[in-house]
């Protein structure tokens, strides 16, 4: 068993002052794979103090030098990709091939985009040509608390750290206690890349402990959190007393509108997207809404596609999906699958219990329900597992009404060959992102939602904007 009990504070690995041991569980085996320490108030205070002390010097560092250090980070990140992949696979259950490609690859992708965006970012510029001496400066918010989840660890760490660093902020990272090992490798990379002491600090902990301490801390200027909507609400309330900036990327219940004229791969694409990462993605299109004329065909295709999805241990090579992250999540998913059955949805694939041949580990059967109605629990609650709900609609107007009838607003999807229809729906769907016909967002495009899916935008130039203050200056001298 790996034992890692240190925190990275002020450029060095230190023993926790008030740490409490915490076992990290391998979800493929249900056995401990590591022991870490959960920090206490003294550990949080030390990390924040280090970040605060380093802030003036890091803010004053020319942006060109900050970009160079970010380029150094990308290089060492690529060199240590296998270490990151193994850490994510063992602690959160991503199959090793997927961990090496999608999980590790997401972090490299975001760092590259921040480097590109930072070189073109308008850090300082005249306000306009009509006002002499008027200038706009984008400068760091200050000390940032970065609280990241377990489902896409390096994706979220790099989205926050990359933007915060290049904007001149200093930070304290609190990764999820469910998958902290990759974040500890990442701290080693920050050290190897040559960032000044105190710019980046890491303290392990849970939400009730270190998470709450950071969000309420008087010397923290901003909290960037990715996780559940419930936790996002608590963080907002805690941060209100100090009026710190709060950036939230929360849950989702995406609608995937499939029209009769959708392309032949639309259903397969939708099913696979839901099942990817064992269903543990906030932007998963978990409500497949199908035009009536295509409904029976789509149900048949979805049933066949779900039957092909294999489930297995995370350390095995292949294109299977792995376990969900822990017993609590497994139990929640099982309860919601049973609720779908009890509410009268038609189970066409999967169901309760583990897949055949897997008697240990937090494995979930790839599950698909048909004949789901908008009033059912599974049509409204974020399940965060490999569970798809198929619903029927008759008109475009009905599809929009049902799709928008949710407290969430992260990502919606449209599948249709009618360009005018796609454009209409893109404007009408109430979500921060709309993806159509399998087209991915552009390089550096913002990721984020509205309503109870949050308020931030991550990635590229928009991600940098979330970590800067806008300073308006008059009387600027060009002499």
């Amino acid at each position: 068993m790996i034992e890692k009990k240190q925190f990275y504070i002020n450029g060095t690995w230190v023993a926790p002052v008030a740490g409490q041991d915490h076992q990290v569980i391998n979800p493929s085996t249900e056995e401990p794979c590591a022991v870490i320490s959960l920090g206490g108030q003294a550990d949080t205070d030390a990390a924040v103090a280090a970040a605060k002390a380093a802030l003036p010097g890091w803010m004053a560092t020319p942006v060109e030098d900050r970009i160079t250090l970010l380029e150094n980070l990308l290089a060492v990140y690529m060199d240590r990709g296998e270490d990151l992949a193994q850490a994510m696979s063992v602690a959160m259950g991503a199959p090793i091939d997927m961990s090496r490609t999608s999980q590790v690859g997401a972090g490299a992708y975001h760092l590259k985009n921040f480097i590109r965006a930072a070189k073109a970012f308008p850090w300082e510029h005249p306000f306009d040509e009509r006002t002499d001496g008027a200038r706009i400066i984008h400068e760091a918010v200050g000390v940032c608390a970065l609280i990241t989840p377990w489902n896409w660890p390096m994706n979220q760490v790099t989205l926050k750290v990359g933007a915060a660093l290049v904007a001149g902020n200093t930070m304290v990272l609190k990764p999820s206690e469910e998958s902290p090992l990759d974040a500890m490798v990442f701290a080693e990379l920050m050290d190897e890349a040559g960032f000044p002491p105190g710019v980046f600090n890491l303290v392990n902990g849970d939400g009730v402990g270190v998470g709450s301490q950071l969000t309420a801390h008087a010397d923290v200027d901003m909290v960037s959190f990715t996780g559940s909507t419930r936790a996002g609400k608590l963080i907002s309330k805690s941060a209100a007393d100090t009026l710190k900036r709060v950036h939230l990327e929360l849950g989702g219940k995406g609608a995937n509108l499939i029209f009769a004229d959708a392309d032949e791969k639309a259903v397969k694409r939708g099913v696979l997207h839901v099942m990817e990462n064992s269903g543990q993605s906030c932007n998963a299109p978990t409500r497949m809404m199908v035009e009536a004329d295509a409904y029976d065909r789509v149900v048949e295709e979805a049933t066949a596609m779900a039957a092909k999805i294999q489930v297995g241990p995370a350390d095995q090579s292949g294109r299977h999906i792995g376990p969900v992250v822990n017993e609590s999540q497994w139990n929640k998913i099982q309860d919601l699958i049973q609720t779908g059955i009890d509410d009268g949805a038609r189970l066409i694939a999967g169901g309760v219990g583990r897949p055949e041949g897997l008697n240990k580990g937090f494995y979930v059967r790839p599950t698909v329900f048909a004949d789901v109605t908008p009033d059912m629990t599974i049509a409204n609650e974020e399940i965060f597992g490999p569970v798809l709900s198929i619903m029927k609609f008759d008109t475009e107007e009905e599809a929009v009404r049902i799709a928008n009838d949710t407290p969430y607003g992260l990502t919606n999807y449209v599948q249709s060959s009618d360009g005018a229809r796609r454009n209409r729906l893109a404007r009408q769907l109430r979500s921060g992102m709309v993806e159509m016909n399998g087209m991915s967002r552009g390089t550096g495009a913002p990721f984020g939602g509205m309503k109870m899916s949050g308020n931030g935008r991550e990635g590229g130039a928009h991600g940098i904007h979330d970590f800067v203050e806008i300073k308006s200056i008059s009387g600027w001298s060009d002499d």
Side-chain angles (χ1 to χ4, degrees):
M1 185 187 302
I2 304 169
E3 291 203 5
K4 288 180 178 278
K5 297 187 177 182
Q6 296 175 315
F7 302 155
Y8 187 74
I9 299 176
N10 203 30
T12 187
W13 290 96
V14 298
V17 175
Q20 177 183 353
D21 281 354
H22 169 76
Q23 287 188 334
V24 181
I25 303 299
N26 180 336
S28 292
T29 64
E30 302 185 40
E31 299 294 332
C33 63
V35 175
I36 63 167
S37 288
L38 304 180
Q41 186 69 57
D43 302 301
T44 301
D45 289 345
V48 172
K52 184 178 181 180
L55 181 63
W58 184 240
M59 285 182 65
T61 300
V63 68
E64 295 80 10
D65 294 345
R66 300 200 297 259
I67 293 172
T68 296
L69 284 169
L70 203 59
E71 291 172 331
N72 293 348
L73 175 61
L74 175 60
V76 296
Y77 182 98
M78 299 301 291
D79 288 343
R80 295 286 299 278
E82 182 62 18
D83 293 337
L84 291 165
Q86 292 289 345
M88 287 185 279
S89 184
V90 72
M92 59 77 58
I96 187 60
D97 290 350
M98 183 259 195
S99 191
R100 287 171 177 148
T101 54
S102 298
Q103 292 278 5
V104 172
Y109 174 79
H110 295 313
L111 292 176
K112 291 175 184 176
N113 288 335
F114 283 131
I115 292 166
R116 183 184 298 110
K119 291 178 179 179
F121 195 85
W123 298 102
E124 293 190 20
H125 59 87
F127 174 63
D128 62 30
E129 297 177 352
R130 298 169 297 172
T131 310
D132 290 339
R135 196 166 187 83
I136 297 295
I137 292 179
H138 294 87
E139 68 178 33
V141 175
V143 175
C144 299
L146 311 178
I147 303 175
T148 56
W150 44 261
N151 58 324
W152 286 91
M154 277 299 106
N155 181 75
Q156 292 306 133
V157 168
T158 55
L159 276 172
K160 298 182 189 304
V161 172
L165 283 172
V166 80
N169 300 277
T170 58
M171 66 212 67
V172 180
L173 172 66
K174 188 209 82 67
S176 169
E177 70 276 18
E178 300 292 344
S179 60
L181 305 184
D182 55 276
M184 299 177 81
V185 174
F186 186 84
E188 295 173 359
L189 305 186
M190 292 293 296
D191 187 68
E192 187 177 343
F195 286 91
V199 169
F200 172 88
N201 306 274
L202 179 145
V203 178
N204 284 310
D206 56 18
V208 175
V210 174
S212 295
Q213 293 157 16
L214 286 169
T215 57
H217 205 292
D219 289 333
V220 169
D221 301 294
M222 173 178 172
V223 177
S224 180
F225 169 78
T226 299
S228 72
T229 297
R230 178 193 60 81
K233 293 178 181 178
L234 294 174
I235 285 171
S236 297
K237 292 175 182 177
S238 175
D241 287 341
T242 50
L243 291 179
K244 55 174 58 70
R245 182 182 296 190
V246 178
H247 163 142
L248 302 173
E249 200 281 284
L250 308 175
K253 191 68 178 176
N256 186 9
L257 278 56
I258 298 182
F259 289 85
D261 63 351
D263 67 89
E264 61 181 12
K265 295 183 179 179
V267 178
K268 175 182 178 180
R269 194 164 58 234
V271 173
L272 290 178
H273 194 170
V274 171
M275 303 301 168
E276 182 189 30
N277 204 36
S278 302
Q280 298 169 127
S281 299
C282 53
N283 64 339
T286 52
R287 294 182 295 157
M288 181 177 283
M289 297 173 52
V290 184
E291 190 172 20
D293 289 348
Y295 186 78
D296 291 340
R297 171 180 59 82
V298 167
V299 168
E300 183 177 340
E301 289 181 25
T303 303
M305 191 65 235
K308 295 178 182 179
I309 296 171
Q310 301 296 310
V311 183
D315 62 353
Q316 292 185 2
S317 182
R319 301 186 67 181
H320 59 284
I321 64 173
V324 295
V325 72
N326 58 29
E327 183 177 13
S328 176
Q329 286 294 121
W330 190 87
N331 287 332
K332 175 191 173 185
I333 295 165
Q334 298 302 310
D335 288 346
L336 284 166
I337 292 173
Q338 186 59 55
T339 297
I341 295 170
D342 295 342
D343 285 349
R346 177 160 56 103
L347 183 68
I348 60 175
V352 295
R354 291 178 174 85
E356 185 176 353
L358 295 170
N359 299 317
K360 193 173 185 180
F362 305 122
Y363 302 100
V364 177
R365 300 170 68 190
T367 297
V368 181
F369 285 101
D371 303 345
V372 176
T373 56
D375 59 308
M376 291 182 181
T377 300
I378 58 172
N380 291 281
E381 187 166 337
E382 185 181 35
I383 299 174
F384 227 59
V387 181
L388 170 65
S389 297
I390 304 180
M391 312 166 72
K392 183 190 296 185
F393 67 85
D394 291 309
T395 66
E396 186 178 310
E397 293 74 20
E398 181 188 16
V400 170
R401 177 178 56 79
I402 296 172
N404 287 340
D405 188 20
T406 171
Y408 297 109
L410 187 57
T411 316
N412 286 308
Y413 302 80
V414 179
Q415 320 299 327
S416 172
S417 61
D418 185 334
R421 170 190 282 156
R422 293 199 308 271
N423 292 350
R424 284 195 305 273
L425 291 169
R427 294 180 183 278
Q428 295 173 34
L429 291 168
R430 292 286 293 162
S431 54
M433 298 170 285
V434 180
E435 298 183 17
M436 302 188 285
N437 285 2
M439 297 294 292
S440 299
R441 296 184 313 280
T443 299
F447 185 102
M450 57 180 68
K451 301 193 287 185
M452 288 195 182
S453 288
N455 55 16
R457 291 295 181 271
E458 295 188 312
H462 290 85
I464 295 173
H465 269 291
D466 269 1
F467 282 91
V468 296
E469 297 281 11
I470 299 174
K471 179 179 286 184
S472 176
I473 299 172
S474 57
W476 183 270
S477 173
D478 291 323
D479 295 339

